[in-house]
Amino acid sequence: MPDKQLRRLKTLLQEAETNLAAARELLSSVLSEEGEVMAPAAPSASLEGKVVEGIFDGQVMIGPDNRNYPVPSNYASKSKLVEGDVLKLTITPEGNFLYKQIDPVARRNAVGILKMRDGVYFVDVEGKDFRVLLASVTFFRLKVGERVAVIVPSENADASWAAVEMAL
């Protein structure tokens, strides 16, 4: 399968997972534990939707219940989210997911070389590979072998993801 088709398939699957998660959250917000439709909540609560806080792992937000909440890669890329950032997710009554970064982790800037292995992009920073989002690679029109400025968590030696700052 050509790379372009594989990337498109991955994007479609990610969008489907996001929509499915939104549908599940919306369903759970209107059904009781017995599976019956619950009475509407107070007007102010129904306008706000459900709020979940969690930790960004480089691709998804992990909630307090250890559930994965898909973060749109364009949002993560443009917001330069870093592994470990605390996010707040509001799931509206219509099923929309609205993310907001509420507590960024300590960061450091680094420079590395963009690489690709098995269809996955990495930035090699001083011998350590950090994965980067495809959305960042395409947004900045990066090419394998280019020098890239990235942002990584400064206090997490086990971090495996970086946010792309810019091509150099």
Side-chain angles (χ1 to χ4, degrees):
M1 181 179 287
D3 284 346
K4 187 175 182 179
Q5 287 178 320
L6 187 57
R7 285 193 303 266
R8 178 68 179 139
L9 181 58
K10 286 180 180 180
T11 300
L12 289 172
L13 286 172
Q14 186 176 17
E15 289 171 3
E17 289 171 353
T18 300
N19 290 334
L20 187 57
R24 284 189 179 122
E25 287 299 322
L26 185 57
L27 182 62
S28 69
S29 72
V30 297
L31 293 181
S32 69
E33 289 182 18
E34 294 80 31
E36 298 174 2
V37 176
M38 295 188 300
S44 62
S46 69
L47 292 177
E48 293 175 13
K50 180 179 178 180
V51 176
V52 179
E53 289 185 12
I55 306 294
F56 184 64
D57 80 346
Q59 282 186 299
V60 299
M61 182 184 86
I62 301 172
D65 54 0
N66 283 329
R67 290 179 62 187
N68 290 345
Y69 296 87
V71 176
S73 57
N74 283 344
Y75 171 73
S77 177
K78 290 177 184 174
S79 300
K80 298 178 180 149
L81 296 180
V82 172
E83 186 175 344
D85 284 346
V86 178
L87 304 177
K88 177 175 82 171
L89 165 63
T90 302
I91 304 169
T92 67
E94 296 81 25
N96 295 321
F97 279 30
L98 305 173
Y99 286 93
K100 181 176 182 181
Q101 178 189 40
I102 59 173
D103 189 14
V105 297
R107 294 156 148 65
R108 72 177 175 93
N109 293 337
V111 175
I113 304 296
L114 183 69
K115 303 187 310 183
M116 184 164 73
R117 186 171 52 246
D118 298 324
V120 177
Y121 288 98
F122 296 86
V123 174
D124 180 347
V125 176
E126 300 168 1
K128 179 171 177 165
D129 287 341
F130 289 93
R131 287 190 60 184
V132 291
L133 295 170
L134 174 61
S136 296
V137 173
T138 57
F139 177 76
F140 289 105
R141 297 186 175 108
L142 302 175
K143 305 272 187 270
V144 172
E146 276 188 303
R147 285 176 29 112
V148 180
V150 294
I151 306 166
V152 297
S154 62
E155 298 175 6
N156 181 359
D158 295 329
S160 58
W161 286 87
V164 174
E165 181 76 42
M166 66 180 353
L168 297 176

